Amino acid sequence: MESGNGKKRFWKRPLTWVVTVLLGALAAVLGGALQDLFKTAGSKVVNEFGKERAPFTVAFQDDSCPAVWTHFPDELQKAVIGKPENEGRTILVKNREADGGVTDLTVTLQGRTQSAVVITGARAVMSGPSQSPPASVFGTGGCGAAVPTRSFAIDLDSKSPTATALNPDEFSGPSPAIVNFPYKISATDPEVFHFSVRTAGCDCTWYLEIEWNSNGKVGAYQLDNGGKPFRTLALKSDTWQPVGLYVGKDGRVTGLSRTSY
């Protein structure tokens, strides 16, 4: 049957009908794939933050020292040679395999809105079984600093590695009373926490889990090391070999040494 203008109706044109059906099927497949993609992305966010998306932003800085390796870091020789001494040390620290004895994290939490968020606690969650430290460990020179306020220690060797408040160093200024969790934060009232995560006997990989509640919702934010767990490795005087920098008269690195600075 033809229309009044002499042209075949849509369903009477076989080629047009077939192309339309195929395009429709393709759109359905692509639509489903895109929907699955967005579901996957969404599920990653949900899994990252627990059952509820964390109502705060997180920024952290790794102030750990010394940086250590289980093998002498020969591969870093080329990266540091020719660099100024301070830059060479920075390269070594950034390319560490683990933290020696202590991982020091400075973590800043700030609410997304004016609604109060209560930070109820923090703990280390092991990403795998605790291992014995290797027979030899190479590391940069030691360092130390005053304990800042809002400082907490986490003992990886304990059965329950939860954060407990530390007394700030009296030389860093007036020492406030030790205050343990909980803390309140909001968009205009952030908090800076210092976590000193320690071990005297293990080669441990772990995540920092920060527990919170807000407006009747609860959750735990899992902080990782750029998508990987943090690694803290016990140091012993008879197994630790300091790694230093050979520096020329011009102040530039000429190589790595196995002696202390």
Side-chain angles (χ1 to χ4, degrees), residues 60 223-230:
F60 81 97
L223 180 64
D224 62 36
N225 188 17
K228 301 181 297 182
F230 295 98

Side-chain angles (χ1 to χ4, degrees), residues 106-248:
T106 300
V107 181
T108 302
L109 306 181
Q110 184 169 11
R112 297 181 186 275
T113 68
Q114 293 300 327
S115 297
V117 180
V118 179
I119 306 301
T120 56
R123 63 193 183 104
V125 178
M126 300 297 184
S127 67
S130 171
Q131 304 291 330
S132 298
S136 62
V137 176
F138 299 90
T140 57
C143 54
V147 178
T149 58
R150 305 290 190 259
S151 294
F152 301 86
I154 299 178
D155 183 4
L156 293 174
D157 301 324
S158 71
K159 292 182 179 180
S160 178
T162 55
T164 57
L166 288 174
N167 189 15
D169 193 308
E170 61 182 1
F171 297 107
S172 64
S175 289
I178 297 177
V179 180
N180 217 328
F181 293 105
Y183 286 90
K184 283 186 179 181
I185 61 171
S186 68
T188 55
D189 188 21
E191 281 282 5
V192 179
F193 301 94
H194 179 85
F195 295 98
S196 182
V197 187
R198 310 169 177 178
T199 178
C202 78
D203 181 353
C204 296
T205 54
W206 53 275
Y207 300 98
L208 182 66
E209 198 168 87
I210 301 170
E211 300 165 340
W212 59 269
N213 68 62
S214 179
N215 295 324
K217 298 178 180 179
V218 298
Y221 181 98
Q222 191 176 82
L223 180 64
D224 62 36
N225 188 17
K228 301 181 297 182
F230 295 98
R231 184 181 180 187
T232 312
L233 196 156
L235 294 182
K236 297 181 179 180
S237 58
D238 59 339
T239 61
W240 180 48
Q241 302 180 49
V243 174
L245 298 174
Y246 286 122
V247 181

